[in-house]
Amino acid sequence: METNNLHIYNTLSRKKQKFEPIKPPFVGMYVCGPTVYGDSHLGHARPAITFDLLFRYLKYLDYQVRYVRNITDVGHLENDADEGEDKIAKKARLEQLEPMEIAQQYTNSYHHNMQQLNVLEPSIEPHASGHILEQIAMTEKILEAGFAYESNGSVYFDVAKYSKTNDYGKLSGRVLEDSIANTRQLDGQNEKHNNADFALWKKAMPEHIMRWHSQWSEGFPGWHIECSAMSTKYLGEEFDIHGGGLDLMFPHHECEIAQTKAANGKDSVKYWMHNNMITIDGQKMSKSLSNFITLDQMFTGSHKLLDKAYSPQVVRFFILQAHYRSPLDFSNKALSAAEKGLERLMIGVKTLSKIKPSETNSFDIESFRKKCFEAIDDDLNTPVLIAHLFDGIRAINSANDGKESFTTAGISEMRNLFDTFIFELLGLKNENETNSKLDDNSENNLMELLLNMRIEAKQNKNFALSDKIRDELVKLGYQIKDKKDGFEWEKSN
RNA sequence: GGUCACGUGGCCGAGGGGCUAGGCACCGGUCUGCAAAACCGAUUACAGCGGUUCGAAUCCGCUCGUGACCUCCA
């Protein structure tokens, strides 16, 4: 086992801090999952992959990790004229389907997309709709503690009162007075004591389909309480890591902090982590701007901004080539650069098994190993990690050309490091290999046959024929590499 | 308007006071019948203007530009 030297950037302190679990060897981790009222898009892929990487690394470090990622299927407020209406309910009426049917449909497609991206399943994936009781119970606790009030069947969190004894805004760096001055007119604003107050329980309007019974009204839980209720239920009153997109920092996470503290009497989260956004032409990709590319569109190329399809692994690699706290701008150029880079990486890994062992190692494997761990330990710096991996690939390619050398032990060490970093931690997989498994043998035999014929043609100086065989195979998606003592071929996408 | 980020070579992206990633593209070379692949090499940077410093892409200030949050969002 590797000694834990992981440092992560904590939004609370605005600093990188050494990661030390509250109760080792256990680690509790909560990440805000998707709202399932639409297809998952590129933006959903980023937190999923970022925290998948963290999950994988923590497990690699031998922690017993419980990773909770919720499904929001209760819906949030609209921002258009349909004020107060539940988003899922709205779509349901339009399509004449049950709200839960829609939630289920999009949950399924989210799961499918995550699987394609090789994102591991979380330990627990709680649904907000399945935890209404817990949310009501937490709201009661907050009422009892005196940090909330009932108003016309709804319950609101009393931000002003809370902030007298607590630091409301400590996560986002926001000043309460500004929030009060700048809050938009939301439905039910006149029921609030204060503009900055937010709902814990909302009385349902007549058009509302999704509703549950409570002592206050027929209604639905407020838009932040689910995460507080479910994280407390599954990870306890104190846990290690809470993650999510940067756009959730305020108000969502700020409200979560306030609610949980009001209910439980203490701060619950030790490390807050936020991934940055994916932009498209420099602008945030989001539902409300309608400039998002769904993952299905990505994988099939069916979007007007896409020159071609990009495979799930290319998307994963593209995301990992930027640091999770930096914005990442989408473009075809960047995607196809990632595609080629990934191919180079994967072919390099294969080349490792072709190297002829030498007496000595000309490449400093130990320092390579160290640099890789330093990169991932430094707040999951995957771009630097990947840069180091490419240095390793270059050494391997050079060795294959006879310009570097590896011993038998050195080769297996390199293989271990690649297995660990590329496949186990970065979670990449070689798509070409898995695709061709089915017809592996016959395909192999055919290729051998054709390429041997090509060698014969070359020996007979029949270059017209040999070039024809090569060119036709290239058209069919194979890459032919001539070697001194024969040939190699790859299936390209 | 308020708050907070950011501006790096043709493109993407790290780094973060002197050592100056990596990928993709382009150019030259080796190899090849020719290619491809691989390897070697070259070129192109830190928005602008000031300041601090022996030294600034890196710190500070200002200007310009871009973005995020303040309202559902990953």
Side-chain angles (χ1 to χ4, degrees), chain A residues 41-43 46 276-286 289 291-293 305 318 326-332 334-335:
Chain A
H41 55 81
L42 255 189
R46 202 167 193 196
N276 215 312
M277 305 290 104
I278 288 185
T279 56
I280 185 155
D281 291 328
Q283 263 211 325
K284 191 174 97 165
M285 186 179 282
S286 77
L289 293 173
N291 65 344
F292 61 92
I293 301 174
L305 289 170
F318 170 68
S326 300
L328 175 59
D329 197 46
F330 160 89
S331 71
N332 280 290
L335 259 303

mmCIF file of all heavy atoms in Angstrom, chain A residues 41-43 46 276-286 289 291-293 305 318 326-332 334-335, chain B residues 12-13 66-69 74:
data_model
loop_
_atom_site.group_PDB
_atom_site.id
_atom_site.type_symbol
_atom_site.label_atom_id
_atom_site.label_comp_id
_atom_site.label_asym_id
_atom_site.label_seq_id
_atom_site.Cartn_x
_atom_site.Cartn_y
_atom_site.Cartn_z
ATOM 1 N N HIS A 41 -25.484 15.479 -19.784
ATOM 2 C CA HIS A 41 -24.640 16.134 -20.770
ATOM 3 C C HIS A 41 -23.195 16.162 -20.287
ATOM 4 O O HIS A 41 -22.872 15.650 -19.217
ATOM 5 C CB HIS A 41 -25.181 17.535 -21.086
ATOM 6 C CG HIS A 41 -25.363 18.416 -19.891
ATOM 7 N ND1 HIS A 41 -24.335 19.108 -19.313
ATOM 8 C CD2 HIS A 41 -26.476 18.700 -19.153
ATOM 9 C CE1 HIS A 41 -24.791 19.798 -18.285
ATOM 10 N NE2 HIS A 41 -26.089 19.566 -18.152
ATOM 11 N N LEU A 42 -22.355 16.768 -21.116
ATOM 12 C CA LEU A 42 -20.930 16.841 -20.805
ATOM 13 C C LEU A 42 -20.668 17.364 -19.400
ATOM 14 O O LEU A 42 -19.752 16.928 -18.722
ATOM 15 C CB LEU A 42 -20.251 17.788 -21.794
ATOM 16 C CG LEU A 42 -19.399 17.201 -22.900
ATOM 17 C CD1 LEU A 42 -18.668 18.340 -23.599
ATOM 18 C CD2 LEU A 42 -18.407 16.203 -22.345
ATOM 19 N N GLY A 43 -21.471 18.323 -18.983
ATOM 20 C CA GLY A 43 -21.293 18.913 -17.667
ATOM 21 C C GLY A 43 -21.465 17.911 -16.545
ATOM 22 O O GLY A 43 -20.835 18.034 -15.499
ATOM 23 N N ARG A 46 -18.200 15.730 -15.794
ATOM 24 C CA ARG A 46 -17.018 16.226 -15.089
ATOM 25 C C ARG A 46 -16.985 15.877 -13.595
ATOM 26 O O ARG A 46 -16.002 15.310 -13.133
ATOM 27 C CB ARG A 46 -16.854 17.723 -15.295
ATOM 28 C CG ARG A 46 -15.426 18.116 -15.040
ATOM 29 C CD ARG A 46 -15.071 19.483 -15.502
ATOM 30 N NE ARG A 46 -13.615 19.616 -15.473
ATOM 31 C CZ ARG A 46 -12.972 20.763 -15.532
ATOM 32 N NH1 ARG A 46 -13.648 21.877 -15.663
ATOM 33 N NH2 ARG A 46 -11.676 20.802 -15.485
ATOM 34 N N ASN A 276 -14.694 22.620 -11.519
ATOM 35 C CA ASN A 276 -15.056 23.755 -12.362
ATOM 36 C C ASN A 276 -15.970 23.306 -13.508
ATOM 37 O O ASN A 276 -16.224 22.125 -13.681
ATOM 38 C CB ASN A 276 -13.789 24.430 -12.893
ATOM 39 C CG ASN A 276 -13.972 25.932 -12.989
ATOM 40 O OD1 ASN A 276 -14.969 26.409 -13.513
ATOM 41 N ND2 ASN A 276 -13.007 26.674 -12.487
ATOM 42 N N MET A 277 -16.407 24.278 -14.276
ATOM 43 C CA MET A 277 -17.396 24.021 -15.317
ATOM 44 C C MET A 277 -16.747 23.632 -16.640
ATOM 45 O O MET A 277 -15.585 23.932 -16.882
ATOM 46 C CB MET A 277 -18.215 25.287 -15.576
ATOM 47 C CG MET A 277 -18.889 25.866 -14.349
ATOM 48 S SD MET A 277 -20.235 24.839 -13.777
ATOM 49 C CE MET A 277 -19.481 24.084 -12.368
ATOM 50 N N ILE A 278 -17.531 23.035 -17.499
ATOM 51 C CA ILE A 278 -17.130 22.864 -18.888
ATOM 52 C C ILE A 278 -17.787 23.985 -19.673
ATOM 53 O O ILE A 278 -18.976 24.269 -19.499
ATOM 54 C CB ILE A 278 -17.556 21.490 -19.418
ATOM 55 C CG1 ILE A 278 -16.676 20.424 -18.788
ATOM 56 C CG2 ILE A 278 -17.446 21.445 -20.942
ATOM 57 C CD1 ILE A 278 -16.886 19.034 -19.305
ATOM 58 N N THR A 279 -16.995 24.648 -20.490
ATOM 59 C CA THR A 279 -17.547 25.751 -21.271
ATOM 60 C C THR A 279 -17.569 25.374 -22.747
ATOM 61 O O THR A 279 -16.852 24.472 -23.187
ATOM 62 C CB THR A 279 -16.710 27.025 -21.097
ATOM 63 O OG1 THR A 279 -15.358 26.758 -21.453
ATOM 64 C CG2 THR A 279 -16.759 27.523 -19.675
ATOM 65 N N ILE A 280 -18.368 26.096 -23.472
ATOM 66 C CA ILE A 280 -18.471 25.865 -24.897
ATOM 67 C C ILE A 280 -18.400 27.245 -25.527
ATOM 68 O O ILE A 280 -19.191 28.112 -25.201
ATOM 69 C CB ILE A 280 -19.752 25.069 -25.204
ATOM 70 C CG1 ILE A 280 -19.852 24.692 -26.647
ATOM 71 C CG2 ILE A 280 -20.997 25.763 -24.778
ATOM 72 C CD1 ILE A 280 -20.720 23.461 -26.825
ATOM 73 N N ASP A 281 -17.364 27.473 -26.299
ATOM 74 C CA ASP A 281 -17.051 28.810 -26.788
ATOM 75 C C ASP A 281 -16.934 29.785 -25.619
ATOM 76 O O ASP A 281 -17.442 30.904 -25.674
ATOM 77 C CB ASP A 281 -18.120 29.311 -27.767
ATOM 78 C CG ASP A 281 -18.083 28.516 -29.063
ATOM 79 O OD1 ASP A 281 -16.973 28.090 -29.446
ATOM 80 O OD2 ASP A 281 -19.145 28.307 -29.668
ATOM 81 N N GLY A 282 -16.318 29.322 -24.551
ATOM 82 C CA GLY A 282 -16.073 30.180 -23.412
ATOM 83 C C GLY A 282 -17.278 30.413 -22.512
ATOM 84 O O GLY A 282 -17.165 31.116 -21.521
ATOM 85 N N GLN A 283 -18.391 29.828 -22.856
ATOM 86 C CA GLN A 283 -19.587 30.028 -22.030
ATOM 87 C C GLN A 283 -19.978 28.742 -21.342
ATOM 88 O O GLN A 283 -19.848 27.658 -21.899
ATOM 89 C CB GLN A 283 -20.749 30.478 -22.907
ATOM 90 C CG GLN A 283 -20.948 31.975 -22.917
ATOM 91 C CD GLN A 283 -22.402 32.322 -23.101
ATOM 92 O OE1 GLN A 283 -23.123 31.633 -23.817
ATOM 93 N NE2 GLN A 283 -22.851 33.380 -22.468
ATOM 94 N N LYS A 284 -20.482 28.875 -20.142
ATOM 95 C CA LYS A 284 -20.894 27.707 -19.402
ATOM 96 C C LYS A 284 -21.934 26.918 -20.175
ATOM 97 O O LYS A 284 -22.831 27.480 -20.775
ATOM 98 C CB LYS A 284 -21.479 28.127 -18.054
ATOM 99 C CG LYS A 284 -21.677 26.962 -17.119
ATOM 100 C CD LYS A 284 -22.102 27.410 -15.755
ATOM 101 C CE LYS A 284 -23.599 27.320 -15.634
ATOM 102 N NZ LYS A 284 -24.009 27.405 -14.228
ATOM 103 N N MET A 285 -21.749 25.620 -20.141
ATOM 104 C CA MET A 285 -22.716 24.729 -20.760
ATOM 105 C C MET A 285 -23.802 24.468 -19.735
ATOM 106 O O MET A 285 -23.507 24.021 -18.639
ATOM 107 C CB MET A 285 -21.962 23.436 -21.081
ATOM 108 C CG MET A 285 -22.702 22.415 -21.847
ATOM 109 S SD MET A 285 -21.625 20.992 -22.132
ATOM 110 C CE MET A 285 -20.601 21.573 -23.459
ATOM 111 N N SER A 286 -25.027 24.805 -20.050
ATOM 112 C CA SER A 286 -26.052 24.551 -19.051
ATOM 113 C C SER A 286 -27.417 24.401 -19.686
ATOM 114 O O SER A 286 -27.640 24.802 -20.822
ATOM 115 C CB SER A 286 -26.088 25.662 -18.016
ATOM 116 O OG SER A 286 -26.739 26.794 -18.545
ATOM 117 N N LEU A 289 -29.177 27.628 -20.730
ATOM 118 C CA LEU A 289 -28.659 28.314 -21.912
ATOM 119 C C LEU A 289 -28.872 27.480 -23.184
ATOM 120 O O LEU A 289 -28.620 27.957 -24.284
ATOM 121 C CB LEU A 289 -27.167 28.616 -21.744
ATOM 122 C CG LEU A 289 -26.816 29.641 -20.663
ATOM 123 C CD1 LEU A 289 -25.312 29.716 -20.475
ATOM 124 C CD2 LEU A 289 -27.365 31.014 -21.010
ATOM 125 N N ASN A 291 -27.206 25.274 -24.524
ATOM 126 C CA ASN A 291 -26.017 25.123 -25.365
ATOM 127 C C ASN A 291 -25.244 23.878 -24.960
ATOM 128 O O ASN A 291 -24.044 23.805 -25.161
ATOM 129 C CB ASN A 291 -25.121 26.362 -25.252
ATOM 130 C CG ASN A 291 -24.554 26.515 -23.854
ATOM 131 O OD1 ASN A 291 -25.046 25.901 -22.910
ATOM 132 N ND2 ASN A 291 -23.515 27.307 -23.718
ATOM 133 N N PHE A 292 -25.945 22.927 -24.401
ATOM 134 C CA PHE A 292 -25.234 21.752 -23.926
ATOM 135 C C PHE A 292 -25.258 20.627 -24.955
ATOM 136 O O PHE A 292 -26.130 20.558 -25.801
ATOM 137 C CB PHE A 292 -25.799 21.273 -22.584
ATOM 138 C CG PHE A 292 -27.246 20.876 -22.636
ATOM 139 C CD1 PHE A 292 -27.592 19.559 -22.884
ATOM 140 C CD2 PHE A 292 -28.234 21.817 -22.426
ATOM 141 C CE1 PHE A 292 -28.931 19.192 -22.932
ATOM 142 C CE2 PHE A 292 -29.563 21.447 -22.476
ATOM 143 C CZ PHE A 292 -29.918 20.140 -22.734
ATOM 144 N N ILE A 293 -24.250 19.794 -24.858
ATOM 145 C CA ILE A 293 -24.156 18.617 -25.701
ATOM 146 C C ILE A 293 -24.379 17.416 -24.801
ATOM 147 O O ILE A 293 -23.673 17.246 -23.813
ATOM 148 C CB ILE A 293 -22.770 18.534 -26.359
ATOM 149 C CG1 ILE A 293 -22.521 19.793 -27.187
ATOM 150 C CG2 ILE A 293 -22.667 17.297 -27.239
ATOM 151 C CD1 ILE A 293 -21.121 19.869 -27.770
ATOM 152 N N LEU A 305 -22.496 20.979 -33.393
ATOM 153 C CA LEU A 305 -21.166 21.473 -33.050
ATOM 154 C C LEU A 305 -20.081 20.399 -33.185
ATOM 155 O O LEU A 305 -18.896 20.700 -33.097
ATOM 156 C CB LEU A 305 -21.170 21.991 -31.613
ATOM 157 C CG LEU A 305 -21.931 23.296 -31.376
ATOM 158 C CD1 LEU A 305 -22.060 23.567 -29.893
ATOM 159 C CD2 LEU A 305 -21.233 24.452 -32.068
ATOM 160 N N PHE A 318 -10.143 13.491 -22.176
ATOM 161 C CA PHE A 318 -10.229 14.938 -22.406
ATOM 162 C C PHE A 318 -10.451 15.675 -21.082
ATOM 163 O O PHE A 318 -9.793 16.673 -20.781
ATOM 164 C CB PHE A 318 -11.380 15.207 -23.380
ATOM 165 C CG PHE A 318 -11.761 16.651 -23.551
ATOM 166 C CD1 PHE A 318 -10.896 17.542 -24.171
ATOM 167 C CD2 PHE A 318 -12.990 17.122 -23.102
ATOM 168 C CE1 PHE A 318 -11.245 18.874 -24.342
ATOM 169 C CE2 PHE A 318 -13.344 18.450 -23.269
ATOM 170 C CZ PHE A 318 -12.468 19.329 -23.886
ATOM 171 N N SER A 326 -9.956 23.836 -12.943
ATOM 172 C CA SER A 326 -9.852 24.804 -14.029
ATOM 173 C C SER A 326 -11.058 24.648 -14.948
ATOM 174 O O SER A 326 -11.548 23.546 -15.136
ATOM 175 C CB SER A 326 -8.602 24.543 -14.865
ATOM 176 O OG SER A 326 -7.463 24.654 -14.064
ATOM 177 N N PRO A 327 -11.483 25.755 -15.532
ATOM 178 C CA PRO A 327 -12.536 25.599 -16.525
ATOM 179 C C PRO A 327 -11.969 24.860 -17.731
ATOM 180 O O PRO A 327 -10.772 24.935 -18.005
ATOM 181 C CB PRO A 327 -12.922 27.034 -16.886
ATOM 182 C CG PRO A 327 -11.835 27.896 -16.375
ATOM 183 C CD PRO A 327 -11.088 27.136 -15.327
ATOM 184 N N LEU A 328 -12.809 24.141 -18.415
ATOM 185 C CA LEU A 328 -12.360 23.364 -19.571
ATOM 186 C C LEU A 328 -13.242 23.725 -20.752
ATOM 187 O O LEU A 328 -14.458 23.602 -20.681
ATOM 188 C CB LEU A 328 -12.470 21.863 -19.251
ATOM 189 C CG LEU A 328 -12.161 20.880 -20.367
ATOM 190 C CD1 LEU A 328 -10.760 21.056 -20.896
ATOM 191 C CD2 LEU A 328 -12.363 19.452 -19.882
ATOM 192 N N ASP A 329 -12.604 24.192 -21.814
ATOM 193 C CA ASP A 329 -13.383 24.646 -22.951
ATOM 194 C C ASP A 329 -13.482 23.551 -24.004
ATOM 195 O O ASP A 329 -12.484 22.960 -24.398
ATOM 196 C CB ASP A 329 -12.761 25.912 -23.561
ATOM 197 C CG ASP A 329 -13.740 26.649 -24.459
ATOM 198 O OD1 ASP A 329 -14.903 26.828 -24.032
ATOM 199 O OD2 ASP A 329 -13.375 27.019 -25.580
ATOM 200 N N PHE A 330 -14.695 23.325 -24.444
ATOM 201 C CA PHE A 330 -14.951 22.312 -25.440
ATOM 202 C C PHE A 330 -14.606 22.801 -26.845
ATOM 203 O O PHE A 330 -14.888 23.936 -27.189
ATOM 204 C CB PHE A 330 -16.432 21.929 -25.406
ATOM 205 C CG PHE A 330 -16.876 21.270 -26.666
ATOM 206 C CD1 PHE A 330 -16.777 19.901 -26.794
ATOM 207 C CD2 PHE A 330 -17.343 22.019 -27.730
ATOM 208 C CE1 PHE A 330 -17.151 19.287 -27.972
ATOM 209 C CE2 PHE A 330 -17.719 21.407 -28.909
ATOM 210 C CZ PHE A 330 -17.619 20.046 -29.024
ATOM 211 N N SER A 331 -13.957 21.969 -27.640
ATOM 212 C CA SER A 331 -13.847 22.238 -29.068
ATOM 213 C C SER A 331 -13.492 20.945 -29.783
ATOM 214 O O SER A 331 -12.940 20.026 -29.176
ATOM 215 C CB SER A 331 -12.775 23.294 -29.359
ATOM 216 O OG SER A 331 -11.493 22.757 -29.134
ATOM 217 N N ASN A 332 -13.817 20.876 -31.056
ATOM 218 C CA ASN A 332 -13.488 19.686 -31.826
ATOM 219 C C ASN A 332 -11.983 19.461 -31.874
ATOM 220 O O ASN A 332 -11.507 18.339 -31.795
ATOM 221 C CB ASN A 332 -14.036 19.808 -33.249
ATOM 222 C CG ASN A 332 -15.520 19.487 -33.296
ATOM 223 O OD1 ASN A 332 -15.918 18.345 -33.121
ATOM 224 N ND2 ASN A 332 -16.330 20.507 -33.483
ATOM 225 N N ALA A 334 -9.741 20.305 -29.651
ATOM 226 C CA ALA A 334 -9.261 19.786 -28.370
ATOM 227 C C ALA A 334 -9.640 18.316 -28.214
ATOM 228 O O ALA A 334 -8.846 17.508 -27.740
ATOM 229 C CB ALA A 334 -9.832 20.608 -27.222
ATOM 230 N N LEU A 335 -10.866 17.985 -28.623
ATOM 231 C CA LEU A 335 -11.316 16.599 -28.507
ATOM 232 C C LEU A 335 -10.500 15.678 -29.391
ATOM 233 O O LEU A 335 -10.082 14.592 -28.959
ATOM 234 C CB LEU A 335 -12.799 16.498 -28.911
ATOM 235 C CG LEU A 335 -13.878 16.424 -27.842
ATOM 236 C CD1 LEU A 335 -13.662 15.257 -26.903
ATOM 237 C CD2 LEU A 335 -13.973 17.687 -27.044
ATOM 238 P P C B 12 -7.336 27.310 -27.529
ATOM 239 O OP1 C B 12 -8.701 27.787 -27.257
ATOM 240 O OP2 C B 12 -6.169 28.156 -27.189
ATOM 241 O "O5'" C B 12 -7.122 25.903 -26.817
ATOM 242 C "C5'" C B 12 -8.121 24.919 -26.904
ATOM 243 C "C4'" C B 12 -7.664 23.666 -26.222
ATOM 244 O "O4'" C B 12 -6.439 23.181 -26.810
ATOM 245 C "C3'" C B 12 -7.272 23.814 -24.762
ATOM 246 O "O3'" C B 12 -8.414 23.929 -23.952
ATOM 247 C "C2'" C B 12 -6.529 22.505 -24.548
ATOM 248 O "O2'" C B 12 -7.404 21.421 -24.481
ATOM 249 C "C1'" C B 12 -5.713 22.427 -25.841
ATOM 250 N N1 C B 12 -4.361 23.004 -25.678
ATOM 251 C C2 C B 12 -3.360 22.217 -25.075
ATOM 252 O O2 C B 12 -3.652 21.072 -24.706
ATOM 253 N N3 C B 12 -2.112 22.721 -24.913
ATOM 254 C C4 C B 12 -1.844 23.959 -25.314
ATOM 255 N N4 C B 12 -0.612 24.415 -25.135
ATOM 256 C C5 C B 12 -2.843 24.798 -25.916
ATOM 257 C C6 C B 12 -4.078 24.279 -26.086
ATOM 258 P P G B 13 -8.301 24.339 -22.435
ATOM 259 O OP1 G B 13 -9.646 24.341 -21.866
ATOM 260 O OP2 G B 13 -7.437 25.537 -22.317
ATOM 261 O "O5'" G B 13 -7.538 23.066 -21.860
ATOM 262 C "C5'" G B 13 -7.103 23.041 -20.534
ATOM 263 C "C4'" G B 13 -5.780 22.313 -20.448
ATOM 264 O "O4'" G B 13 -5.003 22.486 -21.646
ATOM 265 C "C3'" G B 13 -4.910 22.884 -19.339
ATOM 266 O "O3'" G B 13 -5.261 22.194 -18.155
ATOM 267 C "C2'" G B 13 -3.507 22.596 -19.814
ATOM 268 O "O2'" G B 13 -3.117 21.286 -19.519
ATOM 269 C "C1'" G B 13 -3.655 22.743 -21.330
ATOM 270 N N9 G B 13 -3.334 24.085 -21.833
ATOM 271 C C8 G B 13 -4.223 25.017 -22.328
ATOM 272 N N7 G B 13 -3.648 26.113 -22.730
ATOM 273 C C5 G B 13 -2.302 25.896 -22.492
ATOM 274 C C6 G B 13 -1.193 26.741 -22.736
ATOM 275 O O6 G B 13 -1.186 27.873 -23.222
ATOM 276 N N1 G B 13 0.000 26.144 -22.334
ATOM 277 C C2 G B 13 0.101 24.896 -21.777
ATOM 278 N N2 G B 13 1.329 24.505 -21.464
ATOM 279 N N3 G B 13 -0.915 24.100 -21.558
ATOM 280 C C4 G B 13 -2.085 24.656 -21.931
ATOM 281 P P U B 66 -15.284 41.235 -23.260
ATOM 282 O OP1 U B 66 -16.185 41.111 -24.421
ATOM 283 O OP2 U B 66 -15.634 42.120 -22.133
ATOM 284 O "O5'" U B 66 -15.013 39.786 -22.670
ATOM 285 C "C5'" U B 66 -14.617 38.718 -23.530
ATOM 286 C "C4'" U B 66 -14.291 37.501 -22.719
ATOM 287 O "O4'" U B 66 -13.186 37.784 -21.816
ATOM 288 C "C3'" U B 66 -15.384 37.042 -21.763
ATOM 289 O "O3'" U B 66 -16.435 36.359 -22.407
ATOM 290 C "C2'" U B 66 -14.576 36.144 -20.826
ATOM 291 O "O2'" U B 66 -14.228 34.930 -21.432
ATOM 292 C "C1'" U B 66 -13.312 36.988 -20.647
ATOM 293 N N1 U B 66 -13.414 37.865 -19.452
ATOM 294 C C2 U B 66 -13.173 37.280 -18.214
ATOM 295 O O2 U B 66 -12.886 36.104 -18.088
ATOM 296 N N3 U B 66 -13.286 38.127 -17.142
ATOM 297 C C4 U B 66 -13.598 39.461 -17.176
ATOM 298 O O4 U B 66 -13.654 40.086 -16.116
ATOM 299 C C5 U B 66 -13.844 39.993 -18.487
ATOM 300 C C6 U B 66 -13.747 39.189 -19.557
ATOM 301 P P G B 67 -17.881 36.446 -21.774
ATOM 302 O OP1 G B 67 -18.787 35.839 -22.763
ATOM 303 O OP2 G B 67 -18.150 37.804 -21.252
ATOM 304 O "O5'" G B 67 -17.752 35.490 -20.508
ATOM 305 C "C5'" G B 67 -17.514 34.109 -20.703
ATOM 306 C "C4'" G B 67 -17.086 33.489 -19.409
ATOM 307 O "O4'" G B 67 -16.000 34.237 -18.810
ATOM 308 C "C3'" G B 67 -18.125 33.458 -18.304
ATOM 309 O "O3'" G B 67 -19.078 32.452 -18.510
ATOM 310 C "C2'" G B 67 -17.239 33.167 -17.096
ATOM 311 O "O2'" G B 67 -16.814 31.828 -17.095
ATOM 312 C "C1'" G B 67 -16.038 34.061 -17.403
ATOM 313 N N9 G B 67 -16.144 35.365 -16.740
ATOM 314 C C8 G B 67 -16.412 36.579 -17.321
ATOM 315 N N7 G B 67 -16.427 37.563 -16.459
ATOM 316 C C5 G B 67 -16.156 36.962 -15.234
ATOM 317 C C6 G B 67 -16.036 37.513 -13.929
ATOM 318 O O6 G B 67 -16.155 38.690 -13.590
ATOM 319 N N1 G B 67 -15.755 36.537 -12.985
ATOM 320 C C2 G B 67 -15.610 35.203 -13.247
ATOM 321 N N2 G B 67 -15.350 34.427 -12.210
ATOM 322 N N3 G B 67 -15.705 34.671 -14.456
ATOM 323 C C4 G B 67 -15.981 35.610 -15.396
ATOM 324 P P A B 68 -20.484 32.561 -17.818
ATOM 325 O OP1 A B 68 -21.311 31.486 -18.390
ATOM 326 O OP2 A B 68 -20.974 33.962 -17.829
ATOM 327 O "O5'" A B 68 -20.132 32.194 -16.314
ATOM 328 C "C5'" A B 68 -19.727 30.882 -15.981
ATOM 329 C "C4'" A B 68 -19.421 30.811 -14.512
ATOM 330 O "O4'" A B 68 -18.372 31.765 -14.198
ATOM 331 C "C3'" A B 68 -20.559 31.228 -13.601
ATOM 332 O "O3'" A B 68 -21.472 30.172 -13.407
ATOM 333 C "C2'" A B 68 -19.810 31.603 -12.323
ATOM 334 O "O2'" A B 68 -19.379 30.454 -11.640
ATOM 335 C "C1'" A B 68 -18.601 32.317 -12.909
ATOM 336 N N9 A B 68 -18.796 33.768 -13.052
ATOM 337 C C8 A B 68 -19.082 34.480 -14.187
ATOM 338 N N7 A B 68 -19.175 35.773 -13.991
ATOM 339 C C5 A B 68 -18.943 35.926 -12.637
ATOM 340 C C6 A B 68 -18.892 37.056 -11.806
ATOM 341 N N6 A B 68 -19.093 38.308 -12.241
ATOM 342 N N1 A B 68 -18.636 36.861 -10.495
ATOM 343 C C2 A B 68 -18.437 35.606 -10.057
ATOM 344 N N3 A B 68 -18.447 34.460 -10.736
ATOM 345 C C4 A B 68 -18.701 34.696 -12.038
ATOM 346 P P C B 69 -22.985 30.518 -13.228
ATOM 347 O OP1 C B 69 -23.692 29.225 -13.278
ATOM 348 O OP2 C B 69 -23.398 31.624 -14.109
ATOM 349 O "O5'" C B 69 -23.015 31.056 -11.737
ATOM 350 C "C5'" C B 69 -22.663 30.202 -10.661
ATOM 351 C "C4'" C B 69 -22.582 31.004 -9.399
ATOM 352 O "O4'" C B 69 -21.523 31.991 -9.528
ATOM 353 C "C3'" C B 69 -23.804 31.861 -9.103
ATOM 354 O "O3'" C B 69 -24.867 31.104 -8.550
ATOM 355 C "C2'" C B 69 -23.218 32.872 -8.123
ATOM 356 O "O2'" C B 69 -22.990 32.296 -6.865
ATOM 357 C "C1'" C B 69 -21.877 33.158 -8.795
ATOM 358 N N1 C B 69 -21.960 34.300 -9.719
ATOM 359 C C2 C B 69 -21.856 35.587 -9.178
ATOM 360 O O2 C B 69 -21.705 35.711 -7.957
ATOM 361 N N3 C B 69 -21.927 36.663 -10.009
ATOM 362 C C4 C B 69 -22.100 36.490 -11.313
ATOM 363 N N4 C B 69 -22.165 37.573 -12.083
ATOM 364 C C5 C B 69 -22.223 35.195 -11.889
ATOM 365 C C6 C B 69 -22.152 34.136 -11.063
ATOM 366 P P A B 74 -27.531 19.414 -12.708
ATOM 367 O OP1 A B 74 -28.224 18.808 -13.816
ATOM 368 O OP2 A B 74 -28.069 19.261 -11.333
ATOM 369 O "O5'" A B 74 -26.031 18.914 -12.721
ATOM 370 C "C5'" A B 74 -25.541 18.081 -11.702
ATOM 371 C "C4'" A B 74 -24.109 18.482 -11.420
ATOM 372 O "O4'" A B 74 -23.428 18.565 -12.674
ATOM 373 C "C3'" A B 74 -24.018 19.868 -10.812
ATOM 374 O "O3'" A B 74 -24.014 19.818 -9.411
ATOM 375 C "C2'" A B 74 -22.726 20.435 -11.378
ATOM 376 O "O2'" A B 74 -21.623 20.184 -10.549
ATOM 377 C "C1'" A B 74 -22.540 19.656 -12.672
ATOM 378 N N9 A B 74 -22.788 20.510 -13.838
ATOM 379 C C8 A B 74 -23.974 20.932 -14.347
ATOM 380 N N7 A B 74 -23.857 21.668 -15.420
ATOM 381 C C5 A B 74 -22.483 21.738 -15.628
ATOM 382 C C6 A B 74 -21.690 22.383 -16.596
ATOM 383 N N6 A B 74 -22.208 23.093 -17.596
ATOM 384 N N1 A B 74 -20.356 22.248 -16.507
ATOM 385 C C2 A B 74 -19.855 21.530 -15.509
ATOM 386 N N3 A B 74 -20.495 20.876 -14.535
ATOM 387 C C4 A B 74 -21.816 21.020 -14.658
#
